[in-house]
């Protein structure tokens, strides 16, 4: 277990990174700027992280840990029968939570912050794959899990991106995407229906 001072410093750096991401691309944020904004010395920064990439990965790990806890709480609350379609909808809710509440980079669809977008996508893919493998006990995918996972993730993120560019409200987007995902998974397009 990390010392409370270390935890506090890391949390400050993660929050400062999130604040900076609201107005700048990840590639344009320097360690010097990050330290100045966080009011932490560069020596302190480098005693915790080797570079800003290690910091952003730590940030992602924290987001994924929080999101995992949120997912399992949703599963306990509204999916006690372990319906795989409902599991996917709960997962979608978690992905939308990441896009709207955890990573400000998604709020501005005009940005093309390649490292951050790519990293977020990789974390989401990993997370969706875990749920898909669990759900495959009841829903048998017609295609390899990696391809189906990629199809679902690209489709959801693309749909959300277009909705954001149209300035649709987060609640409207949630409803639309949830209905779309439920229809897709309940159909025989991606899964065999027994």
């Amino acid at each position: 277990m990390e010392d409370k001072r270390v935890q506090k410093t890391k949390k400050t750096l993660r929050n400062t990174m999130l604040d900076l991401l609201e107005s700048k691309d990840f590639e344009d944020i320097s360690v010097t700027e990050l330290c100045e904004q966080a009011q932490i010395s560069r020596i302190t920064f480098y005693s915790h992280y080797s570079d800003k990439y290690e910091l952003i990965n730590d940030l992602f790990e924290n987001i994924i840990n929080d999101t995992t806890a949120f997912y399992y709480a949703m599963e306990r609350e509204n999916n006690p029968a372990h319906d795989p379609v409902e599991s996917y909808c709960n997962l979608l809710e978690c992905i939308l939570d990441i896009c709207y509440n955890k990573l400000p980079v998604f709020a501005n669809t005009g940005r093309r912050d390649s490292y951050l977008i790519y990293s977020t996508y990789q974390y989401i893919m990993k997370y969706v794959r875990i749920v898909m493998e669990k759900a495959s006990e009841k829903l048998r995918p017609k295609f390899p899990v990696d391809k189906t996972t990629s199809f679902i993730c690209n489709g959801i993120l693309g749909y959300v991106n277009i909705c954001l560019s149209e300035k649709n409200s987060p609640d409207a987007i949630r409803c639309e995407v949830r209905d779309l995902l439920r229809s897709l998974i309940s159909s025989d397009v991606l899964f065999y229906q027994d």
Side-chain angles (χ1 to χ4, degrees), residues 48-99:
H48 299 295
Y49 300 106
S50 60
D51 55 26
K52 68 180 185 177
Y53 295 93
E54 187 176 353
L55 168 60
I56 202 74
N57 286 331
D58 184 41
L59 175 66
F60 279 128
E61 288 297 327
N62 273 274
I63 289 171
I64 292 300
N65 288 339
D66 291 348
T67 301
T68 301
F70 178 47
Y71 171 75
Y72 285 118
M74 289 181 69
E75 283 288 282
R76 283 189 301 277
E77 182 180 319
N78 65 11
N79 193 15
H82 306 291
D83 174 27
V85 174
E86 196 59 39
S87 288
Y88 276 106
C89 289
N90 287 337
L91 178 61
L92 171 67
E93 202 59 42
C94 292
I95 291 169
L96 293 176
D97 182 60
I98 289 171
C99 293

Side-chain angles (χ1 to χ4, degrees), residues 71 87-88 91 127-136:
Y71 171 75
S87 288
Y88 276 106
L91 178 61
Y127 197 61
V128 171
R129 183 179 168 77
I130 290 167
V131 171
M132 179 170 255
E133 286 173 346
K134 179 182 154 194
S136 342

Side-chain angles (χ1 to χ4, degrees), residues 2-188:
E2 286 181 327
D3 179 279
K4 288 188 186 233
R5 289 175 297 159
V6 171
Q7 290 175 0
K8 182 179 180 209
T9 301
K10 285 184 168 184
K11 183 176 182 181
T12 298
L13 287 166
R14 288 190 303 264
N15 288 339
T16 302
M17 177 62 84
L18 283 173
D19 289 344
L20 289 170
L21 286 170
E22 288 186 26
S23 59
K24 298 182 87 168
D25 285 347
F26 176 74
E27 285 87 359
D28 296 333
I29 297 171
S30 69
V31 171
T32 301
E33 178 182 25
L34 184 65
C35 291
E36 287 172 2
Q37 187 84 17
Q39 298 180 343
I40 291 173
S41 72
R42 287 174 56 90
I43 293 169
T44 301
F45 176 88
Y46 285 113
S47 69
H48 299 295
Y49 300 106
S50 60
D51 55 26
K52 68 180 185 177
Y53 295 93
E54 187 176 353
L55 168 60
I56 202 74
N57 286 331
D58 184 41
L59 175 66
F60 279 128
E61 288 297 327
N62 273 274
I63 289 171
I64 292 300
N65 288 339
D66 291 348
T67 301
T68 301
F70 178 47
Y71 171 75
Y72 285 118
M74 289 181 69
E75 283 288 282
R76 283 189 301 277
E77 182 180 319
N78 65 11
N79 193 15
H82 306 291
D83 174 27
V85 174
E86 196 59 39
S87 288
Y88 276 106
C89 289
N90 287 337
L91 178 61
L92 171 67
E93 202 59 42
C94 292
I95 291 169
L96 293 176
D97 182 60
I98 289 171
C99 293
Y100 292 121
N101 303 324
K102 303 283 195 296
L103 288 174
V105 70
F106 287 99
N108 182 350
T109 59
R111 292 170 60 185
R112 295 292 177 244
D113 201 337
S114 58
Y115 179 79
L116 193 60
I117 298 289
Y118 175 79
S119 297
T120 304
Y121 179 76
Q122 292 305 311
Y123 275 92
I124 289 173
M125 284 281 291
K126 178 179 159 186
Y127 197 61
V128 171
R129 183 179 168 77
I130 290 167
V131 171
M132 179 170 255
E133 286 173 346
K134 179 182 154 194
S136 342
E137 296 166 7
K138 294 183 181 177
L139 281 177
R140 292 177 299 126
K142 288 185 171 183
F143 308 99
V145 171
D146 285 343
K147 290 179 181 177
T148 306
T149 300
S150 180
F151 181 82
I152 290 171
C153 287
N154 282 312
I156 288 172
L157 292 176
Y159 195 90
V160 168
N161 202 25
I162 289 172
C163 288
L164 286 171
S165 71
E166 294 172 347
K167 308 289 187 217
N168 294 346
S169 76
D171 289 337
I173 296 170
R174 274 188 164 88
C175 289
E176 272 186 53
V177 177
R178 193 176 184 95
D179 289 345
L180 176 66
L181 183 64
R182 186 179 299 280
S183 298
L184 181 64
I185 292 173
S186 298
S187 74
D188 62 353

